Amino acid sequence: MELDHIECISSSDGIQEEEETTTTVARLQRPLLKPHNTNISSSTPPAPSSVHELLECPVCTNSMYPPIHQCHNGHTLCSTCKSRVHNRCPTCRQELGDIRCLALEKVAESLELPCKYCSLGCPEIFPYYSKLKHEAQCNFRPYSCPYAGSECSAVGDIAFLVGHLKDDHKVDMHTGSTFNHRYVKSNPREVENATWMLTVFHCFGHYFCLHFEAFQLGMAPVYMAFLRFMGDESEARNFSYSLEVGGNGRKLIWEGTPRSIRDSHRKVRDSHDGLIIQRNMALFFSGGDRKELKLRVTGRIWKEQQIPENGACVPNLSS
């Protein structure tokens, strides 16, 4: 489905003019190592940068974790790369065998390291062997681009991604918590797995991605709309949204919680977490001779407020 076959008319407050910002992704600084035992004399252990170099695999340059292998000359490499070098040391070309560098593994156990996302704000420090587990779930790790029309590899913080969506993907940017879109397609029977439209809304101090799509669900084509929150899931739970589509005296209404962009676009779509319209129903809503798809989708976003006395949530409709 080509995007130029679809007309989008928005009645939100207007296009938001963002300040031009430099959209370069901040490079992650290599973390410094910290000895676990601070009572050891500073002259005894090697310098932090030297220890980090010892724990860096010479093939993939990633940090090594047990089992750490070494050749007869003492050159080390990680277990993943051992199978890739056909049992030959990449440094001296000698046969590797099955020798483990237990001393280096013990050194690693004694270290504590800052999260690799410390330059992005993470203050945590972890033992060497548990650092990877934290980094896979760190709230400060970069976000992936939420644009679904292509396999975009851009990553960064929310401010970077907003500028990236606006400048590189030419996404419509709107201010306000309500929206009213009209989608038109001349031949609704030609349905392919394709993204319709992505629109970004700014309200309550946050950004939200509104997706509209057409795809095959089993043997039947369907149309789907859903909202994603540009932030973590813990923050997304503070908001709710509704979507409504109808015509000919009938309507469908969906209410839910926006999903975080930590969840991929495909994961949200495949979980059917949004407003789903079967093609026959969509054509019925369109009216006329059913030869042209005309869908008007309206909706709003609101923030749930906690009441301290009983913990209940009430909607805050102001943006």
Side-chain angles (χ1 to χ4, degrees), residues 152-168:
C152 182
S153 59
V155 296
D157 58 17
I158 299 302
F160 165 78
L161 289 180
V162 169
H164 167 71
L165 289 170
K166 176 185 175 184
D167 298 332
D168 298 332

Side-chain angles (χ1 to χ4, degrees), residues 47-61:
S49 58
S50 300
V51 177
H52 188 278
E53 291 173 0
L54 289 174
L55 291 169
E56 185 179 89
C57 174
V59 178
C60 65
T61 69

Side-chain angles (χ1 to χ4, degrees), residues 199-211:
T199 308
V200 173
F201 290 88
H202 181 248
C203 56
F204 304 105
H206 295 277
Y207 291 91
F208 300 82
C209 296
L210 180 63
H211 296 267

Side-chain angles (χ1 to χ4, degrees), residues 55-71 75-91 93-99:
L55 291 169
E56 185 179 89
C57 174
V59 178
C60 65
T61 69
N62 293 326
S63 297
M64 295 186 291
Y65 293 85
I68 298 175
H69 297 277
Q70 71 173 32
C71 72
H75 303 126
T76 58
L77 79 164
C78 70
S79 57
T80 301
C81 290
K82 182 176 183 290
S83 60
R84 295 165 53 188
V85 298
H86 307 291
N87 205 37
R88 289 285 177 182
C89 174
T91 303
R93 310 307 298 171
Q94 296 296 312
E95 185 175 350
L96 283 171
D98 292 314
I99 306 173

